[in-house]
Amino acid sequence: MQQLVRDTNAWACYDCGKCTATCPVARVGGSLSPRRHVLSANLGEETDPGRDDTLFTCLTCGLCESRCPAEVSYTGLVRRLREAAFDAKIEPECPHGGALQSVMRMMAKGGTQQDRLGWLTEDLKTDPKEGEVFLWTGCTGYYDAFFPEFDMKTVEGTKATVRILNHLGITPVVSPEERCCGHDLLWNGDRQSFDALARHNVELVRSSEAWMVVTPCAECARTWKIDYEPYFEGRIPQVVHLTELLEERFDDLRLKANGMNRVTYQDPCRLCRHMGVHDAPRKVLEAIPGIELEEMKSNRHGAACCAGGTWGNCDRFAKRIQIDRLREARATEAEVLVTACPKCQIHFRCAMKDPNFGSEISIEMLDVAEVVASALV
Amino acid sequence: MTADPSPSPRPAQKKKKAATRKAAKTAFDPRIVVFACNWCSYAGADTAGVSRIQHQPHFRMIRVMCSGRIQPAFVLRAFEKGADGVLVSGCHFGDCHYIFGNERAVEQFEKTMNVVKLLGIEEGRLRLEWISAAEGARFAEVIDEFTDQVRVLGPSPFATSDAIEEIEVPETETETGKGMEA
Ligand code: FES
């Protein structure tokens, strides 16, 4: 516990309560209190994970952290407490019955040849083994198979990414040996499976001899940039989210109007707060002729998240957060809600299915990669 | 009526059955998880038992109230924990105790199948069958056939890891030869 307090900077907490005041879950009535968790850690209380029913309601969106004047890493604290909970065989209540976690754990075990590149069409130039830039595709194929009822194709975002990279003159490595990055397992406390995935994936990228990893998924980007770092030996490739790459290569992008006028942008929590990337996607979107970017009430560091980032616990508070957020999106009168993480799409689309609010909050959603790809000359 | 995902044609397999069973018997006994609805398939298994119909005993049965309950998570978890095959069973269409539960089961099953294929697990390891309470003989037949099919596919790739130790297998049960009577 003392180590935990030191690692997460919890000792610096001076009990101001800003964390609980900004917590999106607490705001809509959830009983989660980051402040209480930090306090009990400071008092050295061994929280019994079995009796702490708020442990899995934290979205780990990092909003409290961005407001904390004492720089306490609350998400770090929650992660460690969840690891303890996992060791005690306690798992979150209802993340789709744990189906996605099962899929990830099977990938962690390995031994099968996944069929994950079904979307890769002839016109997309990629290399299965070696190259300078590794495109980390993420698990969009699985999501589309798992949520047929949302009529979405998150895999289109992945395809669009290849198209954009080709446009920039890059032939990315897209490997059939890729496995889930392990982000969700890590945040739900399953350190062991995460370890297996991280080792496999780091080795895969190392053997491709790529010096850069680019991904259209905000969660993969965070995992690669921050959580995989200790797994590298020697040279660490540069890890960028697609939007960061687009900003870097801004002058090489040739964009034309794609018929979209008014759009708004949802900051994925992993991208805006965990990694501090918020100007890049905006710059790229605004560069498309005809597009006018209208900000939602809360944006950038203060943006509300999609409330389902880690396949953690989904409950009525999560739904409430999603509905509130979609109302904000509708208030901008934008035609399209653009995001940079497939999970934002999944969770908002799920909220739109709500029979009571559906018509009030429905809005077209696209990945930033899709928007940019449709505007390429 | 049956949604049979197995790629191999059945008649051919039947002829080979006896031979395969003998040959592989010592080599590998698969571990199969059977999900059965309370009103039809579970009762069908009962019928097979009371009628003393012989069938292979390498399965563990999990009873649910209706096949509509069998969500992807159940099947995927079974595979994750090292099951070599998973059989999902329920009432015939029109017979579901809850009217349309088995229609939901089909939706869930298709979803599960798609994920299973993406993962690279052989399609033949997962099957959906409708078995009524009266079809004891059919239950035995389906079990025999499915067991053989899975046996040919060999052990699940996920069965080799340590997670398999979490499943407790009482030795005696696999030896009795009459799984359902116990
Ligand atoms: S009760 Fe048997 S399938 Fe619904």
Side-chain angles (χ1 to χ4, degrees):
Chain A
M1 202 36 112
Q2 280 199 340
Q3 186 63 35
L4 179 62
V5 166
R6 236 175 285 145
D7 289 352
T8 57
N9 216 22
W11 61 273
C13 170
Y14 50 68
D15 217 5
C16 69
K18 284 203 175 74
C19 44
T20 305
T22 45
C23 175
V25 179
R27 190 170 52 87
V28 295
S31 53
L32 171 65
S33 169
R35 180 196 198 174
R36 198 181 61 212
H37 275 145
V38 175
L39 186 65
S40 59
N42 272 334
L43 293 175
E45 285 168 18
E46 293 285 342
T47 20
D48 177 1
R51 294 186 51 201
D52 185 358
D53 53 356
T54 60
L55 186 55
F56 285 102
T57 54
C58 172
L59 311 169
T60 62
C61 71
L63 199 55
C64 54
E65 250 174 78
S66 72
R67 298 282 158 82
C68 177
E71 297 198 327
V72 177
S73 168
Y74 179 67
T75 52
L77 182 79
V78 161
R79 203 161 97 179
R80 293 274 283 273
L81 292 176
R82 285 185 186 174
E83 276 165 25
F86 183 82
D87 291 340
K89 291 203 182 332
I90 296 160
E91 285 178 61
E93 250 163 45
C94 190
H96 305 281
L100 291 139
Q101 277 82 353
S102 283
V103 169
M104 294 172 223
R105 290 202 184 104
M106 280 190 258
M107 279 196 234
K109 284 178 192 170
T112 56
Q113 180 58 56
Q114 293 177 67
D115 177 23
R116 62 182 298 140
L117 299 181
W119 50 271
L120 202 57
T121 44
E122 290 281 299
D123 57 318
L124 304 171
K125 272 186 281 163
T126 60
D127 190 298
K129 277 214 160 66
E130 279 175 22
E132 299 198 336
V133 176
F134 200 109
L135 169 58
W136 195 257
T137 59
C139 295
T140 48
Y142 285 93
Y143 298 155
D144 291 349
F146 200 81
F147 299 105
E149 61 272 28
F150 297 161
D151 299 321
M152 58 172 188
K153 283 263 165 282
T154 50
V155 89
E156 288 300 322
T158 320
K159 273 167 99 168
T161 308
V162 183
R163 228 166 264 139
I164 297 168
L165 293 178
N166 288 168
H167 174 87
L168 293 172
I170 300 170
T171 305
V173 184
V174 173
S175 171
E177 301 299 332
E178 182 182 323
R179 292 186 197 162
C180 165
C181 70
H183 171 275
D184 308 324
L185 292 175
L186 180 66
W187 287 95
N188 282 312
D190 188 353
R191 190 87 218 181
Q192 204 189 349
S193 302
F194 172 78
D195 247 28
L197 289 168
R199 273 176 224 288
H200 171 90
N201 291 334
V202 165
E203 174 56 27
L204 183 65
V205 167
R206 201 197 51 75
S207 69
S208 75
E209 287 176 7
W211 54 268
M212 182 190 254
V213 178
V214 55
T215 171
C217 169
E219 297 188 331
C220 296
R222 180 211 137 108
T223 310
W224 269 97
K225 198 169 206 160
I226 301 168
D227 302 312
Y228 277 6
E229 214 194 280
Y231 292 89
F232 283 102
E233 275 167 28
R235 194 182 51 110
I236 298 176
Q238 188 189 356
V239 179
V240 289
H241 185 264
L242 174 69
T243 54
E244 290 178 273
L245 179 75
L246 292 179
E247 192 192 30
E248 210 177 294
R249 301 279 307 268
F250 193 69
D251 300 331
D252 301 329
L253 269 181
R254 278 161 293 127
L255 300 167
K256 63 171 182 353
N258 61 353
M260 285 178 209
N261 301 312
R262 217 178 160 86
V263 304
T264 186
Y265 175 73
Q266 157 73 19
D267 288 275
C269 54
R270 265 48 192 167
L271 200 58
C272 74
R273 280 186 292 269
H274 290 222
M275 294 170 69
V277 178
H278 32 75
D279 289 332
R282 292 184 162 82
K283 186 173 168 193
V284 179
L285 283 174
E286 276 171 339
I288 300 172
I291 283 193
E292 203 185 308
L293 182 66
E294 193 62 41
E295 293 291 353
M296 283 186 265
K297 203 172 102 208
S298 68
N299 54 59
R300 293 166 202 258
H301 275 306
C305 94
C306 77
T310 56
W311 297 128
N313 209 5
C314 176
D315 52 19
R316 67 204 156 102
F317 303 124
K319 282 280 154 284
R320 190 73 234 172
I321 295 169
Q322 288 155 4
I323 289 168
D324 285 353
R325 185 58 167 164
L326 284 168
R327 282 220 177 95
E328 280 183 32
R330 280 286 290 264
T332 62
E333 292 178 3
E335 303 152 27
V336 186
L337 173 57
V338 184
T339 179
C341 176
K343 270 191 209 155
C344 296
Q345 260 201 67
I346 294 167
H347 292 111
F348 284 132
R349 278 175 194 267
C350 174
M352 288 180 215
K353 291 264 167 196
D354 190 312
N356 293 317
F357 302 106
S359 55
E360 246 175 86
I361 56 175
S362 288
I363 184 168
E364 164 83 353
M365 280 196 86
L366 285 174
D367 194 274
V368 65
E370 287 174 84
V371 177
V372 174
S374 66
L376 292 176
V377 176
Chain B
M1 274 314 215
T2 53
D4 181 6
S6 72
S8 50
R10 284 201 206 160
Q13 211 180 27
K14 248 186 202 167
K15 262 178 249 157
K16 268 192 275 163
K17 193 163 69 179
T20 337
R21 199 191 301 176
K22 219 170 206 172
K25 181 88 193 172
T26 44
F28 167 60
D29 283 336
R31 226 181 280 235
I32 290 170
V33 174
V34 178
F35 290 100
C37 87
N38 180 53
W39 304 100
C40 290
S41 353
Y42 195 82
D46 246 1
T47 312
V50 288
S51 327
R52 303 204 156 255
I53 304 171
Q54 292 283 324
H55 57 73
Q56 299 187 55
H58 313 296
F59 64 95
R60 282 121 193 96
M61 204 158 206
I62 297 175
R63 177 169 61 161
V64 288
M65 283 315 282
C66 173
S67 62
R69 178 69 183 92
I70 304 159
Q71 61 190 85
F74 291 7
V75 177
L76 292 169
R77 163 107 17 163
F79 279 124
E80 180 207 331
K81 294 290 179 198
D84 298 310
V86 178
L87 178 68
V88 176
S89 61
C91 314
H92 287 280
F93 277 129
D95 286 352
C96 171
H97 195 74
Y98 308 96
I99 323 274
F100 54 78
N102 45 11
E103 288 166 30
R104 293 291 95 83
V106 175
E107 285 167 21
Q108 302 286 317
F109 183 84
E110 280 168 1
K111 212 192 249 191
T112 316
M113 191 53 134
N114 287 336
V115 175
V116 160
K117 279 195 259 181
L118 281 173
L119 271 170
I121 301 173
E122 296 93 337
E123 284 175 56
R125 293 191 189 276
L126 179 57
R127 188 190 277 197
L128 177 64
E129 288 283 355
W130 308 129
I131 299 165
S132 84
E135 296 174 321
R138 201 175 114 70
F139 175 84
E141 196 181 301
V142 167
I143 288 290
D144 271 344
E145 204 177 280
F146 187 59
T147 311
D148 288 333
Q149 181 181 323
V150 174
R151 183 174 281 130
V152 172
L153 290 170
S156 150
F158 305 118
T160 47
S161 74
D162 12 307
I164 195 74
E165 281 156 25
E166 286 174 34
I167 304 180
E168 277 170 25
V169 190
E171 268 304 304
T172 45
E173 207 179 274
T174 49
E175 307 295 61
T176 55
K178 288 170 203 141
M180 282 323 300
E181 276 179 288

